[in-house]
Amino acid sequence: MVERLPEEGKIWYNGEFVDWKEAKVHVLAHGLHYGSGVFEGIRCYATEKGSFIFRLNEHVNRMYRSAELYKLKIPYSKEELKNAIKETVRINGLDACYIRPIAFYGYHHLGVNPESCPVDCAIAAWRWGTYLGEEALENGIRCTFSSWRRIDPNTLPVMAKATGHYLNSLLAVLDAKERGFDEAIMLDNNGYVAEGPGENIFAVKNATLYTPAAESSILPGITRDSVIVLARDTGYEVVEKPVTKEELLSADEVFFSGTAAEVSPIREIDNVTIGEGKRGEVTGEIQRKFFDVVHAKEERYMRWLEPV
Ligand SMILES: Cc1ncc(COP(=O)(O)O)c(C=O)c1O
């Protein structure tokens, strides 16, 4: 069972804090009908040095880039949005949480053309544990190649984290769950591996990491970037290139990266055991490093942590 959202606390909504239950939209809001919004998923971690938001700048930058691709003008500066995000965490008394800022075309008229629609903006934050479960972080998950291809750059700007794009992810997730798997892996339109419905993917072969590049229709993940930096700083070679299904199936290790999934090993794909069928050594090392970094235990990467 998926946990229900809380109903207490405050949500920042168009510049003001409102009670959780009062943060509502009209049923004729443009964003509801056409998926015309952009959002972010951000984590805040409790550490011995206080609470820190992981790579807040990068998340906010990506949100504005996503908005630009849809000509959606967020009516706040990046600085204002960052401050609002931090304030949302503080006002809700959260030390560790998931943060969801969203901007979408609101209520005005119902043509597809969003011109004249206001841009509404909200930020919510709530306590949230692991996405795929504690077990998953340790023992890995079972995935399937989806028959749904990842959205294509000739159809939608895949680099944008836009609300409507997630219909593609939804189909892949539903299909994977119906067939008894934990998560889907989507291919791009050329048949190369793209990513999960909400995660980027890495393969490890002979201690080198491989991950699909931008050309494979991926969302440029901030955790993906962090993993690349951490792996290289640890001495591993990381290659961004088109990755085939075969390369995943014959890899020593495969893992997902993402704000929600963090670093999650994949132990099986379509009933084929990956490596030894458990979290591999390299994945374990990267995962440990990642958790040390987000928990402020690595001085070198404190630049990624924004104090609340
Ligand atoms: C489709 C998709 N790919 C990849 C990711 C991973 O990105 P990040 O590491 O920035 O959370 C996400 C999550 O935001 C996603 O939704």
Side-chain angles (χ1 to χ4, degrees):
M1 274 293 276
V2 183
E3 208 176 313
R4 197 179 147 93
L5 282 166
E7 290 183 352
E8 282 173 3
K10 299 276 185 196
I11 289 178
W12 184 94
Y13 197 12
N14 291 333
E16 284 171 25
F17 282 103
V18 299
D19 286 342
W20 190 280
K21 287 186 171 178
E22 298 310 317
K24 294 176 180 165
V25 290
H26 197 277
V27 291
L28 296 180
H30 193 279
L32 183 60
H33 292 254
Y34 304 114
S36 54
V38 298
F39 69 104
E40 276 301 317
I42 311 173
R43 270 194 197 261
C44 172
Y45 289 92
T47 83
E48 283 177 0
K49 296 175 187 151
S51 285
F52 292 98
I53 299 175
F54 186 59
R55 303 197 72 174
L56 178 62
N57 285 332
E58 289 83 350
H59 280 286
V60 168
N61 286 340
R62 186 171 66 186
M63 183 156 162
Y64 279 74
R65 219 167 36 243
S66 302
E68 268 170 31
L69 287 163
Y70 279 101
K71 305 191 187 315
L72 184 147
K73 290 195 178 55
I74 298 176
Y76 304 95
S77 68
K78 288 184 184 176
E79 219 43 51
E80 285 170 329
L81 200 80
K82 273 187 253 180
N83 285 333
I85 288 172
K86 290 199 271 185
E87 188 60 24
T88 306
V89 176
R90 279 198 299 266
I91 209 166
N92 284 295
L94 296 162
D95 54 355
C97 58
Y98 181 78
I99 309 164
R100 171 58 63 88
I102 183 167
F104 57 96
Y105 287 114
Y107 177 90
H108 184 266
H109 64 273
L110 258 195
V112 173
N113 181 353
E115 204 183 308
S116 302
C117 284
V119 172
D120 288 324
C121 203
I123 305 164
W126 62 92
R127 241 170 254 293
W128 205 43
T130 55
Y131 177 54
L132 299 159
E134 280 298 333
E135 236 272 313
L137 289 177
E138 231 177 281
N139 298 323
I141 55 169
R142 297 176 56 249
C143 291
T144 180
F145 287 116
S146 182
S147 60
W148 292 103
R149 295 284 169 104
R150 162 86 177 148
I151 48 171
D152 183 78
N154 290 307
T155 311
L156 292 165
V158 296
M159 284 173 69
K161 194 168 168 66
T163 57
H165 294 190
Y166 283 80
L167 286 176
N168 179 233
S169 295
L170 174 153
L171 288 170
V173 168
L174 286 181
D175 169 64
K177 296 277 183 195
E178 270 168 22
R179 293 193 288 113
F181 294 94
D182 299 314
E183 189 64 301
I185 298 170
M186 301 174 86
L187 305 182
D188 67 16
N189 241 342
N190 298 314
Y192 290 105
V193 174
E195 59 181 1
E199 309 90 354
N200 295 113
I201 196 162
F202 285 82
V204 183
K205 186 76 181 178
N206 299 327
T208 296
L209 282 77
Y210 298 90
T211 192
E215 302 85 87
S216 291
S217 302
I218 63 165
L219 181 84
I222 289 156
T223 319
R224 173 186 181 275
D225 177 73
S226 311
V227 165
I228 292 174
V229 171
L230 293 178
R232 285 187 178 143
D233 287 353
T234 311
Y236 291 108
E237 192 186 345
V238 183
V239 182
E240 296 178 66
K241 71 168 202 74
V243 173
T244 62
K245 274 171 86 166
E246 180 182 31
E247 283 172 302
L248 276 200
L249 293 171
S250 61
D252 301 329
E253 306 176 26
V254 178
F255 65 88
F256 272 144
S257 72
T259 298
E262 299 171 306
V263 175
S264 296
I266 295 173
R267 69 168 196 271
E268 220 180 276
I269 305 173
D270 284 330
N271 302 317
V272 175
T273 302
I274 305 300
E276 294 178 10
K278 55 181 192 187
R279 177 174 58 195
E281 257 175 54
V282 178
T283 307
E285 191 180 352
I286 301 285
Q287 196 189 49
R288 267 194 308 281
K289 196 129 200 178
F290 176 78
F291 283 123
D292 281 351
V293 168
V294 298
H295 289 109
K297 291 180 185 161
E298 292 262 1
E299 206 48 51
R300 183 172 178 188
Y301 304 101
M302 285 302 286
R303 65 179 193 277
W304 285 347
L305 304 187
E306 179 77 25
V308 172

